[in-house]
Amino acid sequence: MTDTPLFTYTLRLADNALVLGHRLSEWCGHAPMLEEDLALANMALDCIGQARNFYTYAGEIEGKGRTEDDLAYLRDCDGFRNILLVERPRGDFAFTILRQFFYAAFMHPYFERLSASKDERLASIAAKAVKEMAYHLRHSAEWVIRLGDGTEESAARLAEALVDLWPFTGEMFEVDETERALIEAGVAVDPAALRPLWLETVDRVFADALLARPQDGWMQTGGRRGEHSEHLGHLLADLQFMQRAYPGSTW
Amino acid sequence: MYAQALNAATETSKDDPAKLAAFQARIDAEEKIEPNDWMPEGYRKTLVRQISQHAHSEIVGMLPEGNWITRAPSLKRKAALLAKVQDEGGHGLYLYSAAETLGVSREELVEALLSGKAKYSSIFNYPTPSWADMGMIGWLVDGAAIMNQIPLCRTSFGPYARAMIRICKEESFHQRQGYEIVMTLARGTPAQKKMAQDSLNRWWWPALMMFGPSDTASQHSDQNMKWKIKRFSNDALRQKFVDATVPQGHFLGLTFPDPDLRFNEATGHWEFGEIDWSEFNRVVKGEGPCNRERLKARNKAQEEGAWVRAAALAHAEKRAARKAAAKIAAE
């Protein structure tokens, strides 16, 4: 592979957004209430929109004529660069909401900083995404509080989701060689530097949700290098079915 | 989407004749009836039934299209389909709100849907096995819905008419989007053309059935026409739909699955074959390909979401109690 760091970096942002958007879209028509059908679809649309912008840019950086659809539909698991957190199956509503909260609490300040990137395209995509993530953060945080300080059952489900999800939060803050140079050049955001702010947001919301933050232990990792869980393949089987079954068609 | 065939008997009026006459005079003068105005019980009941059937249709209608959200063939199509299904949820929401102005609650209406007591548009009891069905639903099903709904923008009950204006704008966008999907397929590979034709073969007759029983068999169009809840007969709207749609299909090189379809130069209308009313009645009664599945899917979402709704309620109560306690402590 001769991928440039900027291509890989942009692809990671795109893959995170697409895979999470896909998971959110699985709720459409099956949410606990009509208002949430609309809200989850809204968040899914935001993520898919972000993915499209990042893919289009990634294709241009690469310069081989690959379109957003080529990148989304014609790579296998090992080509995907998303963090493992976003590919976890949608789970119950507590799981979906807590994941969205963890992701939004990270991506909101992340996009805020990326909107000042020296790369103008990344900056402009991020500037739009900031507003979207502000909504995702507010909406998911309100639900975390409702579920945590709701009924016995909702608190138990949220606690269970926390145990499941926590080991997948560490990967958000990882920095590798690919990103190091871009961070130093003022193109990429340093995710590690956002961790204190992220913990502050988590602690503030958890206090109202009567939820205790787990001790940091061993964290799952690998997605950003193309090492994925068993779940991504099934997601891609759904996502890519038409493009694989009818190659070369225009839709 | 659209609520078909109003099938309950109109009540014999027990209303005060003077009030009835004044009410009819307002209708005749094209005045809008608002929620707090006096209205005959039959009018209220008909509207609750029609608006809630329409709302249920939007909600159940999310399922056949939702079936393709995760498998849409491009990111653009995926986003458009998701936005469309989301629009339908939004239509459901404001139609339930319009029904609530007539003194019923969304909970009781939803309960009637889930128990199988309330009807929704039968078209959603047909399956969507192929991507082309996403185009066909937009083009034919939303197209038929628009034929029904445009006149409803002028229906006599204010909140319903206003909801319909917004819904119609979105539906006509969906219809164009659907036609564009079908057009892309019709101009695509042989496999794509076949996909479009197969889908048209499956949806054409059910789409014609969406307009409800023929005028000779429809039970209470008269009263509904007089109250201006309904403004055109089922058959008139069906004919309008056929006249508009057939040339669109021919333009794409598609064939309609009706050997009797022909243009009558003298009338300027497309004449079509006899609708299989036994199929219509069967599907309305519950014996369509997906009736059981659709209702089960709605019930499943409702049951699996029960703990979430309970939590939201419990939390709201706790908050209110804490606020009240803080207020007392402050005094």
PDB file of all heavy atoms in Angstrom, chain A residues 22 29 32 35 38 45 69 73 149-150 153 157 238-239 243 250-251, chain B residues 70-75 77-79 86 106 192 298 309 315 318 322:
ATOM      1  N   HIS A  22     -24.671   3.633   9.623  1.00  0.00           N
ATOM      2  CA  HIS A  22     -25.348   2.392   9.243  1.00  0.00           C
ATOM      3  C   HIS A  22     -26.006   1.747  10.464  1.00  0.00           C
ATOM      4  O   HIS A  22     -27.174   1.333  10.412  1.00  0.00           O
ATOM      5  CB  HIS A  22     -24.332   1.429   8.623  1.00  0.00           C
ATOM      6  CG  HIS A  22     -24.946   0.191   8.051  1.00  0.00           C
ATOM      7  ND1 HIS A  22     -25.236   0.052   6.720  1.00  0.00           N
ATOM      8  CD2 HIS A  22     -25.349  -0.964   8.648  1.00  0.00           C
ATOM      9  CE1 HIS A  22     -25.780  -1.131   6.510  1.00  0.00           C
ATOM     10  NE2 HIS A  22     -25.861  -1.775   7.666  1.00  0.00           N
ATOM     11  N   GLY A  29     -37.863   2.728  12.002  1.00  0.00           N
ATOM     12  CA  GLY A  29     -39.113   1.958  11.995  1.00  0.00           C
ATOM     13  C   GLY A  29     -39.260   1.033  13.195  1.00  0.00           C
ATOM     14  O   GLY A  29     -40.294   0.405  13.364  1.00  0.00           O
ATOM     15  N   PRO A  32     -38.172   2.850  20.085  1.00  0.00           N
ATOM     16  CA  PRO A  32     -39.120   2.739  21.202  1.00  0.00           C
ATOM     17  C   PRO A  32     -40.298   3.712  21.116  1.00  0.00           C
ATOM     18  O   PRO A  32     -41.310   3.501  21.757  1.00  0.00           O
ATOM     19  CB  PRO A  32     -38.281   3.078  22.441  1.00  0.00           C
ATOM     20  CG  PRO A  32     -36.866   2.991  22.008  1.00  0.00           C
ATOM     21  CD  PRO A  32     -36.824   3.214  20.546  1.00  0.00           C
ATOM     22  N   GLU A  35     -40.898   9.557  18.127  1.00  0.00           N
ATOM     23  CA  GLU A  35     -39.944  10.669  18.209  1.00  0.00           C
ATOM     24  C   GLU A  35     -38.504  10.162  18.073  1.00  0.00           C
ATOM     25  O   GLU A  35     -37.651  10.843  17.504  1.00  0.00           O
ATOM     26  CB  GLU A  35     -40.094  11.421  19.539  1.00  0.00           C
ATOM     27  CG  GLU A  35     -41.327  12.309  19.627  1.00  0.00           C
ATOM     28  CD  GLU A  35     -42.620  11.551  19.928  1.00  0.00           C
ATOM     29  OE1 GLU A  35     -42.597  10.302  19.979  1.00  0.00           O
ATOM     30  OE2 GLU A  35     -43.662  12.210  20.117  1.00  0.00           O
ATOM     31  N   LEU A  38     -37.499   9.283  14.526  1.00  0.00           N
ATOM     32  CA  LEU A  38     -37.073  10.480  13.797  1.00  0.00           C
ATOM     33  C   LEU A  38     -35.676  10.915  14.235  1.00  0.00           C
ATOM     34  O   LEU A  38     -34.829  11.248  13.407  1.00  0.00           O
ATOM     35  CB  LEU A  38     -38.062  11.631  14.013  1.00  0.00           C
ATOM     36  CG  LEU A  38     -39.529  11.365  13.655  1.00  0.00           C
ATOM     37  CD1 LEU A  38     -40.343  12.652  13.770  1.00  0.00           C
ATOM     38  CD2 LEU A  38     -39.667  10.813  12.250  1.00  0.00           C
ATOM     39  N   LEU A  45     -28.521  10.133   9.351  1.00  0.00           N
ATOM     40  CA  LEU A  45     -28.351  10.967   8.146  1.00  0.00           C
ATOM     41  C   LEU A  45     -27.150  11.894   8.280  1.00  0.00           C
ATOM     42  O   LEU A  45     -26.396  12.081   7.321  1.00  0.00           O
ATOM     43  CB  LEU A  45     -29.613  11.791   7.900  1.00  0.00           C
ATOM     44  CG  LEU A  45     -30.736  11.062   7.168  1.00  0.00           C
ATOM     45  CD1 LEU A  45     -32.038  11.843   7.263  1.00  0.00           C
ATOM     46  CD2 LEU A  45     -30.367  10.852   5.697  1.00  0.00           C
ATOM     47  N   ASP A  69     -18.796   5.991  -3.516  1.00  0.00           N
ATOM     48  CA  ASP A  69     -19.378   4.651  -3.529  1.00  0.00           C
ATOM     49  C   ASP A  69     -18.312   3.564  -3.714  1.00  0.00           C
ATOM     50  O   ASP A  69     -18.415   2.492  -3.110  1.00  0.00           O
ATOM     51  CB  ASP A  69     -20.452   4.538  -4.612  1.00  0.00           C
ATOM     52  CG  ASP A  69     -21.721   5.295  -4.238  1.00  0.00           C
ATOM     53  OD1 ASP A  69     -21.940   5.512  -3.026  1.00  0.00           O
ATOM     54  OD2 ASP A  69     -22.480   5.681  -5.149  1.00  0.00           O
ATOM     55  N   TYR A  73     -18.375   0.819  -0.916  1.00  0.00           N
ATOM     56  CA  TYR A  73     -19.007  -0.446  -1.312  1.00  0.00           C
ATOM     57  C   TYR A  73     -18.036  -1.499  -1.841  1.00  0.00           C
ATOM     58  O   TYR A  73     -18.423  -2.653  -1.992  1.00  0.00           O
ATOM     59  CB  TYR A  73     -20.080  -0.177  -2.376  1.00  0.00           C
ATOM     60  CG  TYR A  73     -21.282   0.546  -1.823  1.00  0.00           C
ATOM     61  CD1 TYR A  73     -21.347   1.935  -1.820  1.00  0.00           C
ATOM     62  CD2 TYR A  73     -22.350  -0.161  -1.271  1.00  0.00           C
ATOM     63  CE1 TYR A  73     -22.446   2.606  -1.293  1.00  0.00           C
ATOM     64  CE2 TYR A  73     -23.449   0.497  -0.750  1.00  0.00           C
ATOM     65  CZ  TYR A  73     -23.493   1.881  -0.764  1.00  0.00           C
ATOM     66  OH  TYR A  73     -24.576   2.533  -0.233  1.00  0.00           O
ATOM     67  N   ASP A 149     -31.227   7.474  35.551  1.00  0.00           N
ATOM     68  CA  ASP A 149     -32.062   7.921  36.677  1.00  0.00           C
ATOM     69  C   ASP A 149     -33.535   7.743  36.305  1.00  0.00           C
ATOM     70  O   ASP A 149     -34.351   8.621  36.519  1.00  0.00           O
ATOM     71  CB  ASP A 149     -31.754   9.392  36.991  1.00  0.00           C
ATOM     72  CG  ASP A 149     -32.495   9.881  38.239  1.00  0.00           C
ATOM     73  OD1 ASP A 149     -32.901   9.031  39.061  1.00  0.00           O
ATOM     74  OD2 ASP A 149     -32.670  11.105  38.374  1.00  0.00           O
ATOM     75  N   GLY A 150     -33.852   6.575  35.744  1.00  0.00           N
ATOM     76  CA  GLY A 150     -35.232   6.287  35.346  1.00  0.00           C
ATOM     77  C   GLY A 150     -35.806   5.196  36.204  1.00  0.00           C
ATOM     78  O   GLY A 150     -36.162   5.426  37.346  1.00  0.00           O
ATOM     79  N   GLU A 153     -34.947  -1.108  35.799  1.00  0.00           N
ATOM     80  CA  GLU A 153     -34.572  -1.828  34.579  1.00  0.00           C
ATOM     81  C   GLU A 153     -33.699  -0.977  33.662  1.00  0.00           C
ATOM     82  O   GLU A 153     -32.685  -1.452  33.138  1.00  0.00           O
ATOM     83  CB  GLU A 153     -35.821  -2.292  33.804  1.00  0.00           C
ATOM     84  CG  GLU A 153     -35.415  -3.097  32.570  1.00  0.00           C
ATOM     85  CD  GLU A 153     -36.570  -3.596  31.718  1.00  0.00           C
ATOM     86  OE1 GLU A 153     -37.743  -3.284  32.028  1.00  0.00           O
ATOM     87  OE2 GLU A 153     -36.288  -4.306  30.727  1.00  0.00           O
ATOM     88  N   ARG A 157     -29.904  -1.827  32.458  1.00  0.00           N
ATOM     89  CA  ARG A 157     -29.530  -1.962  31.047  1.00  0.00           C
ATOM     90  C   ARG A 157     -28.399  -1.007  30.676  1.00  0.00           C
ATOM     91  O   ARG A 157     -27.503  -1.357  29.910  1.00  0.00           O
ATOM     92  CB  ARG A 157     -30.744  -1.702  30.150  1.00  0.00           C
ATOM     93  CG  ARG A 157     -31.721  -2.866  30.082  1.00  0.00           C
ATOM     94  CD  ARG A 157     -32.931  -2.433  29.279  1.00  0.00           C
ATOM     95  NE  ARG A 157     -33.957  -3.454  29.172  1.00  0.00           N
ATOM     96  CZ  ARG A 157     -34.074  -4.299  28.133  1.00  0.00           C
ATOM     97  NH1 ARG A 157     -33.214  -4.238  27.145  1.00  0.00           N
ATOM     98  NH2 ARG A 157     -35.041  -5.182  28.108  1.00  0.00           N
ATOM     99  N   ASP A 238     -24.574  -6.628   4.244  1.00  0.00           N
ATOM    100  CA  ASP A 238     -25.803  -5.860   4.034  1.00  0.00           C
ATOM    101  C   ASP A 238     -25.538  -4.643   3.152  1.00  0.00           C
ATOM    102  O   ASP A 238     -26.162  -4.441   2.127  1.00  0.00           O
ATOM    103  CB  ASP A 238     -26.303  -5.342   5.386  1.00  0.00           C
ATOM    104  CG  ASP A 238     -27.527  -6.096   5.859  1.00  0.00           C
ATOM    105  OD1 ASP A 238     -27.899  -7.081   5.200  1.00  0.00           O
ATOM    106  OD2 ASP A 238     -28.094  -5.695   6.885  1.00  0.00           O
ATOM    107  N   LEU A 239     -24.601  -3.833   3.631  1.00  0.00           N
ATOM    108  CA  LEU A 239     -24.307  -2.552   2.988  1.00  0.00           C
ATOM    109  C   LEU A 239     -23.945  -2.730   1.517  1.00  0.00           C
ATOM    110  O   LEU A 239     -24.399  -1.990   0.653  1.00  0.00           O
ATOM    111  CB  LEU A 239     -23.144  -1.877   3.722  1.00  0.00           C
ATOM    112  CG  LEU A 239     -22.633  -0.558   3.127  1.00  0.00           C
ATOM    113  CD1 LEU A 239     -23.562   0.580   3.511  1.00  0.00           C
ATOM    114  CD2 LEU A 239     -21.213  -0.253   3.584  1.00  0.00           C
ATOM    115  N   GLN A 243     -24.113  -3.716  -4.746  1.00  0.00           N
ATOM    116  CA  GLN A 243     -22.927  -3.421  -5.568  1.00  0.00           C
ATOM    117  C   GLN A 243     -22.149  -4.692  -5.890  1.00  0.00           C
ATOM    118  O   GLN A 243     -21.526  -4.787  -6.943  1.00  0.00           O
ATOM    119  CB  GLN A 243     -22.025  -2.431  -4.822  1.00  0.00           C
ATOM    120  CG  GLN A 243     -22.631  -1.055  -4.682  1.00  0.00           C
ATOM    121  CD  GLN A 243     -22.155  -0.092  -5.760  1.00  0.00           C
ATOM    122  OE1 GLN A 243     -21.258  -0.403  -6.540  1.00  0.00           O
ATOM    123  NE2 GLN A 243     -22.755   1.087  -5.804  1.00  0.00           N
ATOM    124  N   THR A 250     -25.157   1.411 -12.598  1.00  0.00           N
ATOM    125  CA  THR A 250     -25.412   2.748 -12.068  1.00  0.00           C
ATOM    126  C   THR A 250     -26.755   2.716 -11.344  1.00  0.00           C
ATOM    127  O   THR A 250     -27.726   2.152 -11.862  1.00  0.00           O
ATOM    128  CB  THR A 250     -25.482   3.763 -13.226  1.00  0.00           C
ATOM    129  OG1 THR A 250     -24.242   3.704 -13.918  1.00  0.00           O
ATOM    130  CG2 THR A 250     -25.723   5.181 -12.712  1.00  0.00           C
ATOM    131  N   TRP A 251     -26.806   3.310 -10.185  1.00  0.00           N
ATOM    132  CA  TRP A 251     -28.049   3.245  -9.386  1.00  0.00           C
ATOM    133  C   TRP A 251     -28.680   4.601  -9.242  1.00  0.00           C
ATOM    134  O   TRP A 251     -29.621   4.802  -8.551  1.00  0.00           O
ATOM    135  CB  TRP A 251     -27.771   2.625  -8.015  1.00  0.00           C
ATOM    136  CG  TRP A 251     -27.208   1.268  -8.179  1.00  0.00           C
ATOM    137  CD1 TRP A 251     -25.882   0.912  -8.095  1.00  0.00           C
ATOM    138  CD2 TRP A 251     -27.928   0.056  -8.503  1.00  0.00           C
ATOM    139  NE1 TRP A 251     -25.742  -0.433  -8.343  1.00  0.00           N
ATOM    140  CE2 TRP A 251     -26.973  -0.973  -8.595  1.00  0.00           C
ATOM    141  CE3 TRP A 251     -29.275  -0.232  -8.718  1.00  0.00           C
ATOM    142  CZ2 TRP A 251     -27.338  -2.302  -8.907  1.00  0.00           C
ATOM    143  CZ3 TRP A 251     -29.627  -1.540  -9.020  1.00  0.00           C
ATOM    144  CH2 TRP A 251     -28.664  -2.563  -9.115  1.00  0.00           C
TER     145      TRP A 251
ATOM    146  N   THR B  70     -30.591  -0.443   4.883  1.00  0.00           N
ATOM    147  CA  THR B  70     -29.218  -0.915   5.095  1.00  0.00           C
ATOM    148  C   THR B  70     -28.608  -1.472   3.808  1.00  0.00           C
ATOM    149  O   THR B  70     -27.402  -1.672   3.735  1.00  0.00           O
ATOM    150  CB  THR B  70     -29.151  -2.009   6.175  1.00  0.00           C
ATOM    151  OG1 THR B  70     -29.997  -3.103   5.785  1.00  0.00           O
ATOM    152  CG2 THR B  70     -29.599  -1.475   7.527  1.00  0.00           C
ATOM    153  N   ARG B  71     -29.439  -1.748   2.797  1.00  0.00           N
ATOM    154  CA  ARG B  71     -28.916  -2.364   1.564  1.00  0.00           C
ATOM    155  C   ARG B  71     -29.014  -1.459   0.341  1.00  0.00           C
ATOM    156  O   ARG B  71     -28.809  -1.925  -0.785  1.00  0.00           O
ATOM    157  CB  ARG B  71     -29.669  -3.663   1.292  1.00  0.00           C
ATOM    158  CG  ARG B  71     -29.397  -4.733   2.335  1.00  0.00           C
ATOM    159  CD  ARG B  71     -30.206  -5.982   2.037  1.00  0.00           C
ATOM    160  NE  ARG B  71     -31.639  -5.726   2.137  1.00  0.00           N
ATOM    161  CZ  ARG B  71     -32.576  -6.484   1.574  1.00  0.00           C
ATOM    162  NH1 ARG B  71     -32.239  -7.538   0.869  1.00  0.00           N
ATOM    163  NH2 ARG B  71     -33.861  -6.191   1.737  1.00  0.00           N
ATOM    164  N   ALA B  72     -29.359  -0.204   0.528  1.00  0.00           N
ATOM    165  CA  ALA B  72     -29.472   0.707  -0.627  1.00  0.00           C
ATOM    166  C   ALA B  72     -28.171   0.675  -1.431  1.00  0.00           C
ATOM    167  O   ALA B  72     -27.089   0.563  -0.853  1.00  0.00           O
ATOM    168  CB  ALA B  72     -29.778   2.113  -0.151  1.00  0.00           C
ATOM    169  N   PRO B  73     -28.254   0.751  -2.768  1.00  0.00           N
ATOM    170  CA  PRO B  73     -27.078   0.472  -3.596  1.00  0.00           C
ATOM    171  C   PRO B  73     -26.045   1.589  -3.702  1.00  0.00           C
ATOM    172  O   PRO B  73     -24.983   1.375  -4.280  1.00  0.00           O
ATOM    173  CB  PRO B  73     -27.688   0.191  -4.971  1.00  0.00           C
ATOM    174  CG  PRO B  73     -28.977   0.911  -4.971  1.00  0.00           C
ATOM    175  CD  PRO B  73     -29.471   0.902  -3.566  1.00  0.00           C
ATOM    176  N   SER B  74     -26.334   2.778  -3.205  1.00  0.00           N
ATOM    177  CA  SER B  74     -25.314   3.836  -3.209  1.00  0.00           C
ATOM    178  C   SER B  74     -25.545   4.709  -1.986  1.00  0.00           C
ATOM    179  O   SER B  74     -26.620   4.675  -1.390  1.00  0.00           O
ATOM    180  CB  SER B  74     -25.410   4.683  -4.481  1.00  0.00           C
ATOM    181  OG  SER B  74     -26.571   5.494  -4.428  1.00  0.00           O
ATOM    182  N   LEU B  75     -24.551   5.487  -1.629  1.00  0.00           N
ATOM    183  CA  LEU B  75     -24.692   6.334  -0.439  1.00  0.00           C
ATOM    184  C   LEU B  75     -25.769   7.397  -0.657  1.00  0.00           C
ATOM    185  O   LEU B  75     -26.516   7.742   0.257  1.00  0.00           O
ATOM    186  CB  LEU B  75     -23.356   6.987  -0.086  1.00  0.00           C
ATOM    187  CG  LEU B  75     -22.266   6.025   0.408  1.00  0.00           C
ATOM    188  CD1 LEU B  75     -21.000   6.798   0.728  1.00  0.00           C
ATOM    189  CD2 LEU B  75     -22.723   5.247   1.639  1.00  0.00           C
ATOM    190  N   ARG B  77     -28.463   7.089  -2.538  1.00  0.00           N
ATOM    191  CA  ARG B  77     -29.764   6.424  -2.400  1.00  0.00           C
ATOM    192  C   ARG B  77     -30.062   6.086  -0.949  1.00  0.00           C
ATOM    193  O   ARG B  77     -31.212   6.140  -0.502  1.00  0.00           O
ATOM    194  CB  ARG B  77     -29.799   5.141  -3.228  1.00  0.00           C
ATOM    195  CG  ARG B  77     -29.717   5.340  -4.725  1.00  0.00           C
ATOM    196  CD  ARG B  77     -30.964   5.995  -5.279  1.00  0.00           C
ATOM    197  NE  ARG B  77     -30.918   6.057  -6.738  1.00  0.00           N
ATOM    198  CZ  ARG B  77     -31.561   6.969  -7.451  1.00  0.00           C
ATOM    199  NH1 ARG B  77     -32.275   7.915  -6.854  1.00  0.00           N
ATOM    200  NH2 ARG B  77     -31.495   6.953  -8.758  1.00  0.00           N
ATOM    201  N   LYS B  78     -29.029   5.697  -0.237  1.00  0.00           N
ATOM    202  CA  LYS B  78     -29.213   5.330   1.166  1.00  0.00           C
ATOM    203  C   LYS B  78     -29.713   6.541   1.967  1.00  0.00           C
ATOM    204  O   LYS B  78     -30.669   6.450   2.724  1.00  0.00           O
ATOM    205  CB  LYS B  78     -27.874   4.833   1.724  1.00  0.00           C
ATOM    206  CG  LYS B  78     -27.914   4.199   3.105  1.00  0.00           C
ATOM    207  CD  LYS B  78     -26.470   3.852   3.500  1.00  0.00           C
ATOM    208  CE  LYS B  78     -26.364   3.192   4.843  1.00  0.00           C
ATOM    209  NZ  LYS B  78     -26.922   1.830   4.853  1.00  0.00           N
ATOM    210  N   ALA B  79     -29.048   7.676   1.752  1.00  0.00           N
ATOM    211  CA  ALA B  79     -29.433   8.887   2.476  1.00  0.00           C
ATOM    212  C   ALA B  79     -30.851   9.315   2.079  1.00  0.00           C
ATOM    213  O   ALA B  79     -31.663   9.686   2.930  1.00  0.00           O
ATOM    214  CB  ALA B  79     -28.428  10.003   2.193  1.00  0.00           C
ATOM    215  N   GLN B  86     -37.963   8.648   7.160  1.00  0.00           N
ATOM    216  CA  GLN B  86     -38.069   9.587   8.278  1.00  0.00           C
ATOM    217  C   GLN B  86     -39.232  10.564   8.062  1.00  0.00           C
ATOM    218  O   GLN B  86     -39.987  10.857   8.990  1.00  0.00           O
ATOM    219  CB  GLN B  86     -36.757  10.353   8.436  1.00  0.00           C
ATOM    220  CG  GLN B  86     -36.712  11.218   9.680  1.00  0.00           C
ATOM    221  CD  GLN B  86     -35.566  12.211   9.636  1.00  0.00           C
ATOM    222  OE1 GLN B  86     -35.167  12.677   8.569  1.00  0.00           O
ATOM    223  NE2 GLN B  86     -35.022  12.523  10.793  1.00  0.00           N
ATOM    224  N   ARG B 106     -53.194   9.842  21.246  1.00  0.00           N
ATOM    225  CA  ARG B 106     -52.323   9.056  20.373  1.00  0.00           C
ATOM    226  C   ARG B 106     -52.209   7.625  20.911  1.00  0.00           C
ATOM    227  O   ARG B 106     -52.212   6.675  20.142  1.00  0.00           O
ATOM    228  CB  ARG B 106     -50.950   9.733  20.330  1.00  0.00           C
ATOM    229  CG  ARG B 106     -49.941   9.010  19.464  1.00  0.00           C
ATOM    230  CD  ARG B 106     -48.762   9.936  19.195  1.00  0.00           C
ATOM    231  NE  ARG B 106     -47.489   9.270  19.334  1.00  0.00           N
ATOM    232  CZ  ARG B 106     -46.321   9.903  19.482  1.00  0.00           C
ATOM    233  NH1 ARG B 106     -46.292  11.213  19.555  1.00  0.00           N
ATOM    234  NH2 ARG B 106     -45.198   9.233  19.572  1.00  0.00           N
ATOM    235  N   GLN B 192     -31.130  -4.817 -14.499  1.00  0.00           N
ATOM    236  CA  GLN B 192     -31.840  -3.705 -13.845  1.00  0.00           C
ATOM    237  C   GLN B 192     -33.211  -3.474 -14.480  1.00  0.00           C
ATOM    238  O   GLN B 192     -34.188  -3.213 -13.783  1.00  0.00           O
ATOM    239  CB  GLN B 192     -30.994  -2.426 -13.907  1.00  0.00           C
ATOM    240  CG  GLN B 192     -29.813  -2.440 -12.946  1.00  0.00           C
ATOM    241  CD  GLN B 192     -28.953  -1.207 -13.093  1.00  0.00           C
ATOM    242  OE1 GLN B 192     -28.498  -0.888 -14.193  1.00  0.00           O
ATOM    243  NE2 GLN B 192     -28.722  -0.502 -11.997  1.00  0.00           N
ATOM    244  N   ARG B 298     -44.619  -4.009  14.311  1.00  0.00           N
ATOM    245  CA  ARG B 298     -45.025  -2.830  15.106  1.00  0.00           C
ATOM    246  C   ARG B 298     -45.168  -3.191  16.581  1.00  0.00           C
ATOM    247  O   ARG B 298     -44.749  -2.459  17.458  1.00  0.00           O
ATOM    248  CB  ARG B 298     -46.351  -2.247  14.606  1.00  0.00           C
ATOM    249  CG  ARG B 298     -46.311  -1.436  13.310  1.00  0.00           C
ATOM    250  CD  ARG B 298     -45.187  -0.436  13.228  1.00  0.00           C
ATOM    251  NE  ARG B 298     -45.037   0.369  14.421  1.00  0.00           N
ATOM    252  CZ  ARG B 298     -43.925   1.018  14.772  1.00  0.00           C
ATOM    253  NH1 ARG B 298     -42.856   0.967  14.030  1.00  0.00           N
ATOM    254  NH2 ARG B 298     -43.866   1.722  15.881  1.00  0.00           N
ATOM    255  N   ARG B 309     -39.802   3.877  27.415  1.00  0.00           N
ATOM    256  CA  ARG B 309     -40.860   4.857  27.695  1.00  0.00           C
ATOM    257  C   ARG B 309     -41.124   4.947  29.194  1.00  0.00           C
ATOM    258  O   ARG B 309     -41.338   6.039  29.732  1.00  0.00           O
ATOM    259  CB  ARG B 309     -42.132   4.488  26.917  1.00  0.00           C
ATOM    260  CG  ARG B 309     -41.948   4.536  25.392  1.00  0.00           C
ATOM    261  CD  ARG B 309     -43.273   4.383  24.635  1.00  0.00           C
ATOM    262  NE  ARG B 309     -43.956   3.142  24.941  1.00  0.00           N
ATOM    263  CZ  ARG B 309     -43.695   1.966  24.374  1.00  0.00           C
ATOM    264  NH1 ARG B 309     -42.755   1.871  23.447  1.00  0.00           N
ATOM    265  NH2 ARG B 309     -44.357   0.883  24.721  1.00  0.00           N
ATOM    266  N   HIS B 315     -38.309   9.204  35.005  1.00  0.00           N
ATOM    267  CA  HIS B 315     -37.336  10.274  35.183  1.00  0.00           C
ATOM    268  C   HIS B 315     -38.021  11.640  35.251  1.00  0.00           C
ATOM    269  O   HIS B 315     -37.673  12.480  36.089  1.00  0.00           O
ATOM    270  CB  HIS B 315     -36.312  10.262  34.058  1.00  0.00           C
ATOM    271  CG  HIS B 315     -35.279  11.336  34.190  1.00  0.00           C
ATOM    272  ND1 HIS B 315     -34.281  11.290  35.133  1.00  0.00           N
ATOM    273  CD2 HIS B 315     -35.117  12.517  33.530  1.00  0.00           C
ATOM    274  CE1 HIS B 315     -33.542  12.389  35.045  1.00  0.00           C
ATOM    275  NE2 HIS B 315     -34.031  13.149  34.082  1.00  0.00           N
ATOM    276  N   LYS B 318     -39.517  12.031  38.648  1.00  0.00           N
ATOM    277  CA  LYS B 318     -38.483  12.308  39.662  1.00  0.00           C
ATOM    278  C   LYS B 318     -38.037  13.763  39.594  1.00  0.00           C
ATOM    279  O   LYS B 318     -37.862  14.426  40.612  1.00  0.00           O
ATOM    280  CB  LYS B 318     -37.261  11.406  39.434  1.00  0.00           C
ATOM    281  CG  LYS B 318     -37.454   9.975  39.878  1.00  0.00           C
ATOM    282  CD  LYS B 318     -36.143   9.215  39.672  1.00  0.00           C
ATOM    283  CE  LYS B 318     -36.347   7.724  39.838  1.00  0.00           C
ATOM    284  NZ  LYS B 318     -35.105   6.976  39.611  1.00  0.00           N
ATOM    285  N   ARG B 322     -38.393  16.528  42.496  1.00  0.00           N
ATOM    286  CA  ARG B 322     -37.219  17.231  43.032  1.00  0.00           C
ATOM    287  C   ARG B 322     -37.386  18.739  42.940  1.00  0.00           C
ATOM    288  O   ARG B 322     -37.043  19.480  43.848  1.00  0.00           O
ATOM    289  CB  ARG B 322     -35.951  16.795  42.286  1.00  0.00           C
ATOM    290  CG  ARG B 322     -35.412  15.453  42.751  1.00  0.00           C
ATOM    291  CD  ARG B 322     -33.957  15.267  42.342  1.00  0.00           C
ATOM    292  NE  ARG B 322     -33.788  15.089  40.914  1.00  0.00           N
ATOM    293  CZ  ARG B 322     -33.658  13.896  40.318  1.00  0.00           C
ATOM    294  NH1 ARG B 322     -33.686  12.788  41.033  1.00  0.00           N
ATOM    295  NH2 ARG B 322     -33.498  13.807  39.016  1.00  0.00           N
TER     296      ARG B 322
END
